[in-house]
Amino acid sequence: MNKHFRLSGSIFTRLEEMGVRAAEVLRRAGLPQRYMDQPRVLLTTGEWFAFWRAVGEASADPAMGLLLGTESRTERFHPMGLAALSTDNLGAAVAQMARYKQLTCPEEIVQEKDDEEWSIRFRWLLAEEAEPAILIDCCFAWVLSIARVGTGSRLSPLRAEFVQPRPHVKTIERHLGCPVVCGAPGNALVFRAADAQRRFATRNAELLALLVPQFEEDLKGENAEENFAERVRVAIQQRLTGRRPSIEDIADALHVSSRTLQRRLQDEGSNFQRVLEESRHQLARRYLNNSGLELNEAAYLLGYEDGNSFVRAFRSWEGVPPARWRENQRTAAAP
C-alpha cells in the first residue's frame, strides 16, 4: 500500500481557472507555498484532508468538489482511469479501480451489492479524522465521470448517501442526477444493481491488455521484496504517462533522498538514467507489439513530448525506427 497521496501540480492550475487562489488554499491548509512550483507533491492523509478542507473554505462555489471530480476528456485520465474505461462494463471498471487503488494512495474502494442495489464508497485507510465533505463530493463525481464517459450516456445513481447534513443538497442532486439522503450510516453512491452490466462504448481490449500487466507487476512489487533498481523501475513506469518523472519524483515516491536513490542504484551497478531508459524501452516494446496502438499514442504513454523524440530514442535502443521494428515483429510472427 502506498502511504501517501500525490498532489499533482495540475490541480493548482484547475483551481485558478475556477477562480480559487492556489496560494490561499495552501495557506489555509498550512502547507508550503513552494508546492505550487513542484509537479508532484506527496502528502500524508492528514495533509490531504487539510488541503481539501482548504479548497472548500477558499471557494465560494458549493459545487467545487463536484467540479474538480468531473472529467469528460479521456486524454486527461490517469492510466488507471484509462484502464477502467477500457473494460467491458461499469461493474468491471469499478472492480478494476478497486483492485489497483492502493498502488497510488492509502485509499480503498468498497462495494456492496444485492439483487436491487449496488453501493460504492471510499475508505481512507490511514485516516484519524472524518474525511472532508468536499473530498467525498469529488470522489463521487469521479465515479460518475467514469460511468458517463464509459457508457456514453447521462447515467445517474439511485441516490447519494451522506453521514453529515449538506447545505447544498439541491446542487448535489442536480449534478449527480439523483436524490440525496443525509444522516446515513456511511457516505455511499448507490446505483441500481443492473447498472453494473452497463456496456462501455469506450471498451478497448488492446489497451487494457497493455496496461493491466503493468499494474499486476506493480502489485507484486507491493507484496514481495525486490531489488532496489526494480522498485525504481516500477515507480518510473507508474509515473510515465504524459511526462518524464525526475529523480526527485521517484525519490519522493520511494521515501528516500535523491542522493540515497543514486547511491543504492550505484551499489547495484546501475544509475537513475539507465533505469529510466530501460523502463521506457521495456514499455515501448510492449506497446509496439500491440498492433492497434498508434505511434503517437505510444509516445504519450511513455512520457515523450512528441512523436519525433520517441522515434529518436527508439532508434538508439533498437537501431531502427519504431515503425520498422513493429513491421519486422509482424513479419517474424506471420505463419
Side-chain angles (χ1 to χ4, degrees):
M1 177 185 69
N2 194 313
K3 295 183 179 180
H4 290 78
F5 291 86
R6 288 198 298 273
L7 181 66
S8 171
S10 62
I11 194 171
F12 296 121
T13 302
R14 292 196 67 188
L15 287 171
E16 294 284 351
E17 290 173 350
M18 294 177 181
V20 180
R21 293 183 59 246
E24 177 65 12
V25 170
L26 290 174
R27 185 190 68 78
R28 288 175 179 267
L31 297 172
Q33 293 291 313
R34 68 175 183 276
Y35 283 178
M36 283 189 293
D37 302 319
Q38 298 178 11
R40 294 193 184 189
V41 174
L42 292 180
L43 300 181
T44 65
T45 299
E47 291 170 333
W48 183 246
F49 284 4
F51 174 83
W52 280 98
R53 280 195 299 270
V55 171
E57 293 167 359
S59 171
D61 190 342
M64 183 56 61
L66 299 168
L67 295 174
L68 290 172
T70 299
E71 186 54 75
S72 59
R73 296 171 57 181
T74 54
E75 66 269 19
R76 291 184 176 178
F77 280 79
H78 184 276
M80 288 187 187
L82 291 175
L85 290 172
S86 299
T87 58
D88 285 338
N89 54 52
L90 181 56
V94 174
Q96 180 95 266
M97 293 189 291
R99 178 167 177 77
Y100 303 122
K101 186 68 173 176
Q102 290 182 51
L103 286 174
T104 59
C105 60
E107 182 184 327
E108 186 176 44
I109 298 176
V110 181
Q111 304 178 69
E112 295 180 4
K113 191 176 179 184
D114 58 27
D115 293 339
E116 300 294 328
E117 297 184 349
W118 173 35
S119 71
I120 300 168
R121 59 190 178 90
F122 290 78
R123 182 162 62 196
W124 286 266
L125 302 174
L126 302 180
E128 298 179 354
E129 57 186 316
E131 61 271 23
I134 188 174
L135 178 56
I136 301 168
D137 290 355
C138 183
C139 291
F140 285 4
W142 170 249
V143 171
L144 194 57
S145 289
I146 293 288
R148 288 177 172 173
V149 172
T151 62
S153 71
R154 288 288 297 176
L155 177 65
S156 295
L158 275 175
R159 64 184 180 279
E161 299 178 348
F162 298 103
V163 175
Q164 300 295 332
R166 294 303 185 91
H168 55 290
V169 166
K170 293 300 181 183
T171 300
I172 299 174
E173 289 181 336
R174 282 194 299 271
H175 188 95
L176 300 182
C178 67
V180 165
V181 176
C182 296
N187 300 305
L189 195 61
V190 183
F191 289 88
R192 300 165 187 83
D195 288 337
Q197 301 304 315
R198 291 283 193 113
R199 294 279 286 173
F200 269 13
T202 55
R203 57 188 180 277
N204 186 331
E206 291 179 330
L207 182 56
L208 193 63
L210 286 173
L211 296 173
V212 167
Q214 183 59 49
F215 298 154
E216 289 296 328
E217 286 186 25
D218 295 345
L219 278 180
K220 291 178 183 177
E222 290 288 324
N223 299 318
E225 290 189 4
E226 56 195 359
N227 63 48
F228 189 70
E230 179 67 10
R231 290 177 59 199
V232 172
R233 182 193 64 78
V234 168
I236 288 172
Q237 291 183 344
Q238 285 180 336
R239 293 160 179 79
L240 267 176
T241 305
R243 62 182 292 271
R244 183 179 68 180
S246 67
I247 188 171
E248 290 78 16
D249 294 332
I250 303 306
D252 284 344
L254 298 178
H255 311 304
V256 298
S257 67
S258 301
R259 179 175 296 181
T260 297
L261 186 146
Q262 280 285 36
R263 178 181 56 77
R264 292 188 63 178
L265 288 177
Q266 289 171 359
D267 290 344
E268 295 181 9
S270 188
N271 59 60
F272 180 76
Q273 188 60 35
R274 183 185 304 170
V275 177
L276 174 63
E277 290 306 301
E278 290 170 352
S279 302
R280 282 176 146 178
H281 187 187
Q282 181 185 78
L283 284 180
R285 290 175 64 96
R286 181 185 300 166
Y287 292 157
L288 291 178
N289 270 323
N290 171 43
S291 60
L293 199 65
E294 298 292 337
L295 293 183
N296 62 338
E297 293 175 322
Y300 173 77
L301 290 172
L302 292 166
Y304 287 99
E305 294 180 358
D306 55 63
N308 290 333
S309 299
F310 171 47
V311 170
R312 287 194 296 271
F314 194 89
R315 188 191 292 271
S316 72
W317 298 326
E318 297 287 346
V320 295
R324 185 182 301 174
W325 184 90
R326 169 180 273 173
E327 188 60 36
N328 292 343
Q329 294 298 305
R330 290 175 180 170
T331 301

